[in-house]
Amino acid sequence: MVEEAAGAAPAAEDAAGGPDGRRARLRRDLEAVLMVVDQPVAEYDIARAFDLPVETVAAVLAELSHEYTEQGRGFDLRQVAEGWRFYTRPECADVVEHFLRDGQEVRLTQAALETVAVVAYRQPVSRGRVSAVRGVNCDGVMRTLVLRGLIEEAGHDPESGALLYRTTSYFLERLGLRSLDELPDLAPFLPDDIEGLDDTGEHTR
C-alpha cells in the first residue's frame, strides 16, 4: 500500500506537468486571453507573449475552434485576416439581438450610461476619445451599445482614420427626444481638452 501511494505521486505530477498537462493549461490560457481582446489577435503575437512556437499556438487554436463547433457552443473561435477572436454564432444572432435591444428589463450599467452620454455630447467621436473622457477602456461597453442599437458607426476620422460613432434614432426614441437639440445642456461639464488627445487617448504634442 505504501509503495502504491509513493508511486502515485509522480504519476499525478506527470499528469499535471507532462505534455497533456501543459497543453491543457495552454488551452485554458488561450481562452482567458481571447475573452478579453477587443479585436482579432495574430498567432504570432500570442506565441510571442506565451513564449511558444507559432505552430504550437496555431494548432491549439484550431483545435479549440473545432471543439466549439462540434459541441454546438453559442460562440465561435474564428480566424479572420488579422488573427483569432471569439464571435457569437450567426444562428444565435436573433436571440442576442432580442436580448440586447428588446429585453428592456435588462438595464444599462452605469458604465454604459456614462459612455453613451459621452458619445451623445461629443459625436461623432472615436472609442479612444470616449475612453479618454471616462478614464477607462470603453471598447467592450461601446460594442454593447452598438448591439443595443443606441450608437452606430459614423465613418472615419479624416486625420487619424479612427472609426467614429454617433447616437442613433433609436437612442432618441428611447429617451423620448425629437432631436439631439433637446438633450440637457451637460456638454460644459465634459472635458474640453479631448481635442488634444489622439485616438488611443494619449495626449498629442
Side-chain angles (χ1 to χ4, degrees):
M1 293 292 292
V2 174
E3 292 179 354
E4 287 183 21
E13 289 180 8
D14 289 341
D20 290 344
R22 287 194 295 271
R23 193 174 189 84
R25 286 197 299 274
L26 175 58
R27 287 161 56 93
R28 177 202 64 191
D29 293 345
L30 285 173
E31 288 176 332
V33 168
L34 291 169
M35 283 293 293
V36 299
V37 298
D38 62 350
Q39 59 187 359
V41 58
E43 295 169 353
Y44 172 79
D45 293 331
I46 299 175
R48 183 176 58 181
F50 283 49
D51 195 22
L52 290 171
V54 175
E55 295 77 10
T56 300
V57 171
V60 175
L61 288 169
E63 177 183 298
L64 288 171
S65 178
H66 179 72
E67 274 189 26
Y68 299 147
T69 300
E70 287 292 306
Q71 294 169 1
R73 299 289 188 91
F75 58 88
D76 180 24
L77 178 56
R78 202 178 307 164
Q79 184 178 25
V80 294
E82 298 87 356
W84 292 82
R85 184 181 174 187
F86 282 121
Y87 294 86
T88 300
R89 289 199 181 276
E91 54 266 36
C92 298
D94 289 344
V95 69
V96 171
E97 182 177 356
H98 175 75
F99 175 78
L100 292 175
R101 296 194 62 173
D102 301 325
Q104 298 304 323
E105 71 280 0
V106 182
R107 295 187 174 186
L108 290 177
T109 63
Q110 184 66 31
L113 288 171
E114 293 175 3
T115 301
V116 75
V118 175
V119 174
Y121 286 101
R122 292 296 188 182
Q123 61 185 308
V125 64
S126 68
R127 289 188 300 179
R129 293 196 176 187
V130 174
S131 297
V133 172
R134 291 201 56 234
V136 294
N137 187 296
C138 296
D139 291 347
V141 179
M142 294 282 283
R143 286 199 302 272
T144 297
L145 293 172
V146 169
L147 287 171
R148 287 198 173 195
L150 295 172
I151 65 173
E152 63 185 1
E153 296 178 2
H156 292 80
D157 184 278
E159 295 183 2
S160 66
L163 188 60
L164 301 175
Y165 292 86
R166 65 188 174 202
T167 53
T168 64
S169 57
Y170 180 69
F171 166 82
L172 294 175
E173 177 187 335
R174 295 305 306 166
L175 267 66
L177 303 175
R178 288 173 294 180
S179 72
L180 293 172
D181 294 335
E182 295 186 355
L183 283 171
D185 188 19
L186 296 179
F189 295 97
L190 294 176
D192 292 325
D193 63 349
I194 65 167
E195 299 305 323
L197 300 170
D198 64 21
D199 290 290
T200 64
E202 297 294 330
H203 281 277
T204 56
R205 297 186 181 276

